[in-house]
Structures are given as C-alpha cells and as structure tokens.
Amino acid sequence: MAGDISSKTANLAMFVSGIGRQATSLAEALRHVADAPEVLVISDHWPQTKPLRSRGTKRRESLKLMSFRDAGFLETPISFKTILQRVTTWVESVERREHSVLIVDMSWTLATNSAAANFETWTEIAERLADTIGCPLISLYNRNLMIDEQLLTALRGHPQILTEAGLHDNPHWLPAKLLTRGTLRQQVDHWLNALSPDLAPASGDSEIHAAEGADPMWLLRKTAEEPAFAGFEARDRWKIRCFGRLRIYRNDGSQIIWDTPGGATRKTKTLFAYLLQKGGEGASADELTDLLWPEAETVEAGRNRLYHTVRYLRAALSQDGDKQGATYLIRDSSRYVLVPPDKSWLDISTFEQLCRQSITHMKAGALDEAMICLQAADRLYTGDLFADIPPEYADDNERDWCWSKRYWLREMFFKVQRNAASIYRQRQDYSAALAHCQKALNIDPVCEIAHEEAMRVFAAQGRPEAIDRQYKLYLGSLTHFDDRPKSAAVKATYDALKAGRQA
C-alpha cells in the first residue's frame, strides 16, 4: 500500500527510466513529502537546475546540486569513508535539513571502474548515511543505465521504494550485513521470518548451513573442503580484472600477489584464468596437466607439477596466512573448481552488459543513455583479455579457452569506439569522434568499422581530401597482413561518400 514519507523514513530507493524522466518522476514523487523540502541532488547528469514542479500543481521545490567529483564518487580507488564525510558535511550545512531530501543519482557507478567494482557496498553506506544526516535519502536508480546485477542489489538494499504513487514497503529488502555478507540460508531465513513469525528458524538452526556460503555452487557440490565462515566479517569479495593484466583486488583494496615463493607465476595465473573461464564445470587434473605441461615425460610427473601449482595458487588466494585459499580452489573427485567469494565482481560481465545496453539505447534514439554506457564500457577495456597469459597457453588451438573470447571482446570494444564516434559525429563534435576511431586503429590498423566511421566524420566536415587519405591509410594497412582481404563494405562506404551519398 502506498503512503507518504514521514520524518522517520530514511533509506529509500526510486527507480526511473531515462535521464529525461528523472526530474519529472522525482517531482511527482515528492508530492508525498509532508513539508515542501529543499531538494539536495548529487548528480552529473541532472537535466535542470530550476526548481522542481509536479504536474497540475503550483508546488515548487528548491534545488541544490553537488557533483560526483565534489562528493568523492570519482576518486580512484573509491573511498566511501570520504563520501560519507563530504556528503554529511554538505547536508549539515543546510539550514532546514530536517525539511530536506537528499537524492543520490546512482549513475555514479558507471563513472569509474572502481565505482563499478564496488557498487555492492553502496547499500550499506546508504543505510549508514541515512542514519546520520537527519533527512530522507533517496537512491535514484535509472533502469536504462544500471546493469541487471546492480538493479537486483538495489531492489534488495532499501527497505522502502518511492514511486510517483507514493511510498511502498519493500518485501525484497535485506539488512545491509545480510545482503553483502550473509549466507543464502541467512537471507532466506530473514525473508521467511518477515512473512510470518511462525517461519522463524529454531534457535541455533540458522548457523547449521553457514558452510554453504552464498554461492549456489555449495548446494550442488559437497566436498570435504567446504568453507566454514565464522561470521559476516570473515567473508571476502573479489574485484577480478581480466582485461589487460590479470589482477584481483580484495575488500581492503589490496591485490593478490601471484609470485609466491617457489611458485611459477605464469603457470599460477594461467591456472586461475583457465578455471575462471571454466566456471562451475571445472577441469580435470589430466586436462590441466596437458594444458600446462604438455611436454611432461610421464603423466605422473605432470600431475606432481600440477599439485605444486595448485598449492601455490591456494597460497596466493589466501590472506594473512589464513587457509581460505583451499575453499576458493576445491577438488571435487578428479576435478578442480574455482569458487570465488560470493558477489565477486568480474569486469567482463559488466563490459558485456554495458555494450548490449548501449546498442538498445542507440536503436531507441536515447543517445545520452547510450553514451554513458559506451563511456563506461570504454573505461573497462584496459587491454585484451588475459593479456599477460603466455601465448603458449592462451592460444591453445585444441581447447580454445581464451583466443576466441579475446577476439570477440576486442571486436565488441571496436564497436564501442565506432558507436561513440557516431554519436559524437551526430553532435558535430568531430574531434572526439575521430579520437574514438583512432583508439580502435591503434589496436588494429585494419579495423574496418573504424576506417568507415572516420570517413563519415570527414564527410560531415566537408573534407573530401581527408576521405581519400583515410581510404589510402586503410589500403596501406592491408599490406602488413597477407591474410586480410580488401573489404567490399569499406570500398562501398568510400564510393558513396565520394559521390556525396549517405553511407
């Protein structure tokens, strides 16, 4: 049942669709605030600075803005301690803050790679911030920009949802500690207890299944090496960066060190990367031995080397001498399975979702939303997939566990550059458009879609001589690659532009 915001209401979420709808939807929703507030907005994409006005009324709310940078959201690595301090100080400077509302535009999560990787922490920060600022906090989620995992976390991270119709209790809410560090069983117990006290677990039952962790894999794969987490704070979360140099960051910002004493760093990283790509399927000992030691004189010799590398990888994944490495790399019968901590962030997944969303927005003509997604995807791609994995392992033709995926992701990156250039061309920002084309050509001088888009930019500028020069650059780049045939599409684009036709 919808209701009005009261002075006790604190940690809210609001879901909108489209940048252009944010101010209108918010103005309608704020009708449910008893006193006309001063609206404090943290955003870099707010469409207006004039007072908000809801439809059919004379009611106006004054508006104050704070940028993402001033709030601390653009710092790398992101520091939520800094954000808490800056935002709290800003809100406390408002004379009648008890009659104000703080709006946080959640598109900050796409502003930097560090922000995207640490988004999960926001629900806990929002809960803490709402308890201290003395006025309602509304986290504003744009459904056209946020990726699916972020929206699901948002739905579970706020006890109440604000809409244009009013305020709604959120049946999917989880307290911050349960959401970020609780096991599946603890989360289920919370929801069941909320439905009815009769469904509350008996005393002591809630910890029986704590060893299952929050990853469904623990419900499917039972081994003697299952992790037993002592409590919330023992649970780690990784930020896994696969583009460029493979690196893993822990909760505290420290990196996993691969070169453990006595270990072979390249083989240790390759083992991690391979098992990461295999997912819950894992890989057999024989498969891993054949990948890493194809030259081994005997099967037994290869397996002995594998056992040593597994031990070194577990040591690398452990922290401060703990034994958690064994829980992150388990052995199930004859197969090894990598089990990252629950809610770990993977740059590949976020990159793919942003690419798909940008295409959807471009087809719909929502170029502002498309550009935000494209810029976020562009920042994530810091190099080819697993660029520091030795070619003798990454280019394994028999398994092709890396090469095809690497090539596919690179092609997606080229399309990101082409699409961003296209939007800048339509906005007549030709310098920015050409910079994106060149970014693709720096990686692949024969990138056809980049050459085509560059020629379109020159055509928009009325520079036929530059179109000729770009086409000659394309032909010249082909001479360095014997197996790259001349593209009929590039030639057709060139001919059409030279003839003054749309291409």
Side-chain angles (χ1 to χ4, degrees):
M1 183 68 68
D4 289 339
I5 296 179
S6 69
S7 59
K8 295 182 179 179
T9 303
N11 181 16
L12 313 176
M14 187 170 176
F15 296 89
V16 297
S17 297
I19 292 176
R21 285 280 304 160
Q22 288 184 161
T24 302
S25 296
L26 180 60
E28 292 300 308
L30 290 180
R31 293 181 303 166
H32 303 283
V33 179
D35 298 318
E38 181 143 44
V39 181
L40 311 174
V41 179
I42 301 176
S43 176
D44 282 354
H45 306 292
W46 203 254
Q48 56 183 356
T49 57
K50 60 185 179 182
L52 297 172
R53 175 179 290 173
S54 56
R55 293 188 298 267
T57 72
K58 295 182 179 180
R59 175 175 173 149
R60 295 154 60 95
E61 277 78 39
S62 61
L63 185 70
K64 288 188 176 181
L65 289 173
M66 186 182 208
S67 69
F68 287 152
R69 183 172 300 280
D70 289 343
F73 285 111
L74 301 189
E75 291 194 1
T76 303
I78 193 168
S79 169
F80 287 107
K81 180 179 180 180
T82 298
I83 292 169
L84 278 168
Q85 293 173 340
R86 292 185 183 180
V87 174
T88 299
T89 300
W90 183 51
V91 175
E92 288 178 346
S93 69
V94 177
E95 290 185 7
R96 299 176 66 231
R97 63 186 171 111
E98 69 275 9
H99 298 291
S100 300
V101 172
L102 174 63
I103 313 294
V104 179
D105 175 3
M106 295 302 295
S107 64
W108 61 263
T109 190
L110 301 179
T112 68
N113 292 341
S114 180
N118 290 279
F119 168 81
E120 294 264 352
T121 309
W122 172 252
T123 55
E124 190 168 358
I125 299 302
E127 190 173 284
R128 193 183 312 174
L129 186 59
D131 288 339
T132 61
I133 60 176
C135 67
L137 165 63
I138 303 175
S139 299
L140 191 65
Y141 297 91
N142 188 331
R143 296 167 65 184
N144 289 2
L145 294 180
M146 313 298 287
I147 63 177
D148 295 343
E149 289 89 344
Q150 293 172 337
L151 289 172
L152 187 58
T153 298
L155 184 60
R156 293 174 176 173
H158 303 274
Q160 292 175 305
I161 308 295
L162 182 64
T163 71
E164 295 182 23
L167 193 64
H168 307 263
D169 289 332
N170 180 12
H172 307 290
W173 173 66
L174 286 167
K177 279 195 172 182
L178 281 182
L179 178 60
T180 58
R181 293 182 290 276
T183 65
L184 277 179
R185 184 55 58 105
Q186 289 167 330
Q187 293 176 357
V188 170
D189 285 344
H190 174 84
W191 280 319
L192 291 176
N193 188 44
L195 289 174
S196 171
D198 297 339
L199 297 175
S203 177
D205 285 353
S206 60
E207 295 303 319
I208 291 178
H209 300 276
E212 293 171 355
D215 191 320
M217 180 175 292
W218 296 114
L219 303 178
L220 303 176
R221 296 183 177 276
K222 298 297 180 185
T223 76
E225 297 179 292
E226 287 181 343
F229 295 110
F232 290 127
E233 301 304 326
R235 300 180 65 79
D236 199 2
R237 177 176 176 265
W238 294 342
K239 278 78 74 175
I240 308 173
R241 301 294 304 275
C242 301
F243 288 119
R245 179 174 54 86
L246 174 62
R247 57 235 190 256
I248 305 173
Y249 298 87
R250 294 190 174 93
N251 277 341
D252 60 4
S254 64
Q255 282 196 53
I256 284 177
I257 306 301
W258 298 101
D259 53 343
T260 53
T265 302
R266 297 192 304 170
K267 291 185 186 295
T268 302
K269 295 184 77 169
T270 301
L271 177 60
F272 180 92
Y274 186 77
L275 290 175
L276 182 67
Q277 290 293 291
K278 297 294 285 186
E281 175 189 353
S284 68
D286 289 343
E287 181 180 346
L288 295 172
T289 300
D290 189 47
L291 169 69
L292 295 171
W293 298 277
E295 77 290 348
E297 296 180 358
T298 65
V299 173
E300 190 62 29
R303 286 188 176 180
N304 285 336
R305 294 177 183 176
L306 174 63
Y307 298 152
H308 285 296
T309 302
V310 166
R311 187 172 75 251
Y312 290 127
L313 177 55
R314 284 174 171 164
L317 299 180
S318 298
Q319 186 175 21
D320 299 329
D322 62 28
K323 297 183 179 180
Q324 296 248 340
T327 69
Y328 299 142
L329 176 55
I330 65 172
R331 185 174 183 181
D332 186 358
S333 185
S334 63
R335 303 186 72 81
Y336 288 94
V337 182
L338 184 69
V339 187
D342 177 51
K343 302 185 190 306
S344 290
W345 177 81
L346 186 66
D347 58 357
I348 302 173
S349 176
T350 301
F351 176 79
E352 292 180 7
Q353 292 184 68
L354 289 169
C355 290
R356 287 194 296 269
Q357 286 187 182
S358 68
I359 293 172
T360 299
H361 293 322
M362 290 190 71
K363 289 180 178 178
L367 299 187
D368 288 339
E369 283 89 346
M371 183 57 80
I372 292 174
C373 292
L374 289 168
Q375 290 171 339
D378 184 22
R379 283 190 295 268
L380 282 172
Y381 194 95
T382 55
D384 282 339
L385 176 68
F386 301 137
D388 57 344
I389 298 299
E392 61 264 31
Y393 306 134
D395 298 341
D396 184 349
N397 293 327
E398 181 180 346
R399 295 170 186 80
D400 191 18
W401 65 277
C402 179
W403 189 88
S404 292
K405 184 76 170 179
R406 176 185 290 173
Y407 179 82
W408 182 71
L409 289 168
R410 186 190 299 171
E411 289 297 307
M412 290 181 68
F413 174 72
F414 290 158
K415 291 177 181 178
V416 165
Q417 303 310 314
R418 187 270 313 275
N419 292 342
S422 174
I423 293 176
Y424 278 123
R425 171 171 55 85
Q426 295 175 59
R427 294 175 173 175
Q428 299 183 358
D429 189 344
Y430 302 125
S431 176
L434 290 172
H436 279 282
C437 293
Q438 191 58 48
K439 197 168 185 177
L441 293 173
N442 287 340
I443 296 176
D444 181 6
V446 193
C447 181
E448 296 167 1
I449 59 176
H451 282 292
E452 289 184 85
E453 185 55 37
M455 287 190 286
R456 293 189 184 99
V457 173
F458 292 134
Q461 291 178 300
R463 299 172 58 191
E465 78 289 349
I467 299 175
D468 289 332
R469 185 171 63 251
Q470 190 68 40
Y471 187 62
K472 289 178 181 178
L473 282 174
Y474 165 69
L475 295 178
S477 65
L478 286 172
T479 62
H480 300 287
F481 300 91
D482 296 335
D483 59 342
R484 299 282 285 268
K486 185 188 301 184
S487 168
V490 176
K491 180 64 163 61
T493 298
Y494 170 73
D495 291 339
L497 293 173
K498 288 294 289 182
R501 302 192 305 271
Q502 187 71 28

